[in-house]
Amino acid sequence: MDPRVEKFMAQIVAKNANEKEFHQAVQEVAESLIPYIEENPKYKHAKVLERIAEPERVILFRVPWIDDKGEIQINKGYRIEMNSAIGPYKGGLRFHPTVNLSILKFLAFEQVLKNSLTTLPMGGGKGGSDFDPKGKSDNEVMRFCQSFMTELCKHIGANTDIPAGDIGVGGREIGYMFGQYKRIRNEFVGVLTGKGRQYGGSLIRPEATGYGAVYFAEEMLKTRGDSFKGKIVTVSGSGNVAQFATEKVNQLGGKVVTVSDSAGFIHDPNGIDAEKLAYVMELKNVKRGRIKEYADKYGCEYYEGKRPWEIKCDVALPCATQNELNEEEAKTLIANGCFVVSEGANMPSTPEAVELYIKHKILYGPGKAANAGGVAVSGLEMSQNSLRLSWTREEVDQRLHQIMKDIHATCETYGKESDGFINYVNGANIGGFVKVAEAMLAQGAV
Ligand code: GLU
């Protein structure tokens, strides 16, 4: 490791003990930024890197709620307000039993640079709870969301901090939280994004992260004169991001052969076409069932307890969760001829996997660039709420597409190496950093 990175990381680890995901996210960024900062000493003197690694504010609270049996349950609630240099805090809420301070701080840290890359005026934040929506009734989810918002509403606002969805938080949860915010604060404002269409949501917000990750991959393919036509694509996950990534790949002429959930993955060599995708959407969004049922219905292979990276493909789209693709799996992907990885999830590849992508010079789009389409359309939802207007599907999709092209161009500007190879990791980290750093310099020691 570069000794300068080592020294910086020693401080981060000492100050944030036992937060391994946070260390991982910061180290990846530090490896890109420290050499850049050495060449641009104004950022060094102002300690911008040290400052962006410390949240502006961390809010921790108790979330008590009553389950269907009448028993009191207690969960933890969090909101990390990471950086507001270029706009109000913005970022999703995650409800999952693995949620802890380390995971939310890594996500909030990534969000700062991601939001900057979108070109929209949004700072970075993240929040959530260790509440597990799996197996809970609608009423339990509603009571939990109401209790969560009863406390959270004291800290957020349409000009302060605007949460949205992430794992375990979709349209249903946003609706319950919006209702509670409005009731307590007595104001109808765009304090959350990912809202339903009837009460201020934007068209294309559900599609945005998945579509965006595919648009980004398409831009990467174009740099080699290639396209999605005829490509075999492996997707992990089967939630919102995976579903709409699959839809967009189909539209562009590729073939998606896998989707997964936490229990295993299905391999459908014939491709998950529009009809089968509609089945996945119904299964996951309405019936809230397991992906194994797909294999039973369509008579294809189901791999219990496994991840899809052993399947031969040209393009891999990790759309499930952090650290879901390790060194061994990256080796297998590359040995099987995969040459594009575009991350729909946040930090799905381990550092060792990323090192292999770069070594083999494949087209690798890290999450903070490739999955920025979700928060970008959240930003467009905020604009529409402020205007009290709503744009058409075509208009939002066209803006999303342009934003993904712009993010790709930024990565190219900051990540192109002397032999023409685009290092998208450096490109995204430096490209995201510069805007935030300049704003922080202008605002003084805050
Ligand atoms: N959770 C999403 C992300 O990781 C979206 C956040 C948002 O829309 O605010 O970027």
Side-chain angles (χ1 to χ4, degrees):
M1 202 198 296
D2 179 330
R4 296 166 303 183
V5 176
E6 202 164 340
K7 194 168 155 225
F8 175 74
M9 284 312 299
Q11 290 170 15
I12 293 290
V13 172
K15 281 191 174 191
N16 306 273
N18 305 319
E19 295 179 5
K20 65 179 193 322
E21 292 84 4
F22 180 60
H23 305 160
Q24 182 184 334
V26 173
Q27 184 169 326
E28 188 233 79
V29 169
E31 279 168 1
S32 299
L33 285 182
I34 287 178
Y36 180 78
I37 290 173
E38 290 292 330
E39 287 166 23
N40 295 274
K42 59 179 176 175
Y43 301 133
K44 190 175 176 182
H45 299 140
K47 295 205 174 168
V48 179
L49 185 56
E50 288 82 348
R51 279 195 276 159
I52 65 168
E54 190 66 41
E56 288 180 13
R57 189 176 298 106
V58 174
I59 302 151
L60 263 166
F61 51 98
R62 176 170 70 200
V63 189
W65 57 282
I66 297 175
D67 70 16
D68 286 347
K69 295 192 210 99
E71 206 173 301
I72 295 187
Q73 300 288 340
I74 299 114
N75 285 100
K76 287 182 186 292
Y78 303 82
R79 186 73 184 164
I80 317 294
E81 296 184 335
M82 199 74 191
N83 194 299
S84 61
I86 63 168
Y89 309 107
K90 179 84 196 87
L93 297 170
R94 177 177 291 192
F95 292 168
H96 193 272
T98 57
V99 161
N100 58 33
L101 202 54
S102 172
I103 296 217
L104 294 180
K105 280 173 67 180
F106 115 63
L107 289 164
F109 182 75
E110 292 266 306
Q111 200 81 46
V112 174
L113 301 175
K114 182 196 309 193
N115 292 3
S116 166
L117 283 168
T118 66
T119 69
L120 303 174
M122 299 182 288
K126 205 87 190 190
S129 173
D130 58 356
F131 173 75
D132 187 0
K134 209 183 280 168
K136 303 288 190 300
S137 70
D138 262 354
N139 274 330
E140 288 178 321
V141 170
M142 182 176 76
R143 286 195 295 271
F144 172 80
C145 288
Q146 289 176 338
S147 178
F148 184 84
M149 186 51 86
T150 301
E151 177 58 33
L152 188 68
C153 78
K154 299 169 191 165
H155 311 284
I156 62 175
N159 292 314
T160 312
D161 183 356
I162 305 93
D166 195 80
I167 294 172
V169 178
R172 173 181 64 167
E173 291 75 17
I174 294 291
Y176 294 149
M177 288 191 275
F178 183 77
Q180 185 74 351
Y181 181 90
K182 184 164 58 66
R183 191 172 179 207
I184 297 177
R185 299 278 294 255
N186 193 26
E187 52 180 27
F188 193 113
V189 292
V191 67
L192 293 163
T193 61
K195 300 185 292 296
R197 278 289 295 144
Q198 312 79 357
Y199 56 97
S202 175
L203 287 164
I204 303 287
R205 178 62 191 87
E207 292 87 342
T209 314
Y211 278 17
V214 175
Y215 289 147
F216 194 84
E218 193 187 27
E219 291 307 302
M220 293 198 291
L221 280 160
K222 275 193 207 160
T223 65
R224 298 195 182 170
D226 210 338
S227 77
F228 265 99
K229 276 243 146 55
K231 296 285 180 299
I232 303 293
V233 182
T234 49
V235 170
S236 64
S238 49
N240 160 270
V241 183
Q243 292 169 11
F244 289 105
T246 301
E247 182 169 284
K248 187 51 76 179
V249 170
N250 285 342
Q251 288 170 10
L252 296 180
K255 190 201 267 187
V256 175
V257 296
T258 64
V259 281
S260 69
D261 62 19
S262 56
F265 78 91
I266 60 101
H267 178 213
D268 186 345
N270 297 323
I272 302 168
D273 60 18
E275 186 214 312
K276 292 170 180 174
L277 180 60
Y279 171 82
V280 173
M281 288 183 173
E282 169 84 11
L283 177 69
K284 284 287 165 185
N285 309 348
V286 184
K287 284 173 42 195
R288 299 186 190 268
R290 308 305 295 170
I291 204 67
K292 181 181 185 305
E293 295 171 46
Y294 180 104
D296 299 337
K297 181 164 168 73
Y298 294 109
C300 69
E301 225 33 74
Y302 171 68
Y303 296 81
E304 177 86 31
K306 294 216 168 156
R307 305 193 281 216
W309 315 124
E310 65 191 71
I311 302 298
K312 187 174 160 50
C313 66
D314 306 300
V315 181
L317 303 176
C319 298
T321 193
Q322 69 273 354
N323 292 327
E324 54 156 319
L325 204 171
N326 64 25
E327 184 176 16
E328 274 313 301
E329 292 163 320
K331 257 187 215 156
T332 309
L333 277 176
I334 294 166
N336 282 338
C338 172
F339 70 104
V340 184
V341 176
S342 185
E343 296 183 335
N346 289 311
M347 207 169 76
S349 304
T350 64
E352 296 77 22
V354 174
E355 207 176 300
L356 276 177
Y357 305 149
I358 305 284
K359 189 171 143 214
H360 288 268
K361 301 200 179 229
I362 70 165
L363 297 168
Y364 165 58
K368 67 173 77 66
N371 74 37
V375 74
V377 175
S378 276
L380 300 178
E381 183 171 329
M382 289 164 65
S383 306
Q384 293 169 81
N385 290 165
S386 298
L387 289 167
R388 298 187 191 282
L389 285 174
S390 53
W391 297 330
T392 62
R393 256 187 102 75
E394 291 68 32
E395 173 145 21
V396 181
D397 193 23
Q398 189 256 322
R399 284 179 189 264
L400 165 66
H401 203 158
Q402 189 55 49
I403 287 171
M404 298 315 296
K405 288 183 181 179
D406 292 344
I407 296 174
H408 184 274
T410 301
C411 290
E412 193 164 352
T413 303
Y414 290 100
K416 202 167 196 154
E417 298 184 348
S418 49
D419 64 354
F421 170 67
I422 304 172
N423 182 324
Y424 291 92
V425 175
N426 286 342
N429 288 337
I430 300 169
F433 173 78
V434 169
K435 183 177 170 189
V436 176
E438 286 296 326
M440 287 176 73
L441 288 184
Q443 292 169 28
V446 291

